[in-house]
Amino acid sequence: QVQLVESGGGLVQAGGSLRLSCAASGNIFSINVMGWYRQAPGNQRELVATITSGGTTNYADSVKGRFTISRDYPKNRMVYLQMNSLKPEDSAVYYCNLKFLGGTYWGQGTQVTVSS
C-alpha cells in the first residue's frame, strides 16, 4: 500500500515563500517520478513540477525560476517544493504525486493561499 502525506501549506503574503514536503511510504519501485500538481477552484489539476529518481526535473512555465523541486537522495522517500516569490495566482490545493510501473498515486492535498 503506497501512501503519500503532504505538509507545509498555509497562508502567505504575495512575494513570500513556502516549502511543501511529501513523505512516501509503502512498497515503491526504485525507478519512479515524484511531483507536485495543483488545482484551484474551477480549474483542472495542473502540473507544477516533477523530478525523477535520477534527478531530472521538469517545471511548468508559470513557476520556472520561482519554484524548486528536490528529493532526499539516496533514500528517495521525500519530495520537496520550495516556492519563492509567491503570487496570488499560485493559490491552490497542492497534491503530491508518485508514478512507477504504470501506477499513479496521490496525496490528500495541502492548501496554499497567497494574499495580495
Side-chain angles (χ1 to χ4, degrees), residues 5-82:
V5 178
E6 302 104 332
S7 60
L11 173 64
V12 65
Q13 287 189 332
S17 298
L18 282 175
R19 187 186 193 221
L20 305 183
S21 300
C22 173
S25 60
N27 193 10
I28 300 170
F29 192 62
S30 59
I31 301 174
N32 57 65
V33 181
M34 295 191 78
W36 292 94
Y37 291 70
R38 66 187 181 188
Q39 188 169 18
N43 292 354
Q44 289 189 334
R45 193 171 296 188
E46 62 177 9
L47 179 145
V48 176
T50 61
I51 183 168
T52 70
S53 47
T56 301
T57 58
N58 179 51
Y59 294 92
D61 288 343
S62 59
V63 306
K64 282 181 181 176
R66 301 189 298 122
F67 290 11
T68 303
I69 190 170
S70 61
R71 297 179 68 152
D72 66 325
Y73 298 104
K75 289 184 179 179
N76 263 332
R77 287 292 174 134
M78 297 287 297
V79 64
Y80 307 98
L81 186 68
Q82 178 65 43

Side-chain angles (χ1 to χ4, degrees), residues 1-6 22-28 34 76-79 96-98 100 104-108:
Q1 184 83 7
V2 175
Q3 189 173 20
L4 302 173
V5 178
E6 302 104 332
C22 173
S25 60
N27 193 10
I28 300 170
M34 295 191 78
N76 263 332
R77 287 292 174 134
M78 297 287 297
V79 64
C96 181
N97 174 269
L98 170 64
F100 64 93
T104 299
Y105 305 88
W106 294 96
Q108 81 285 354

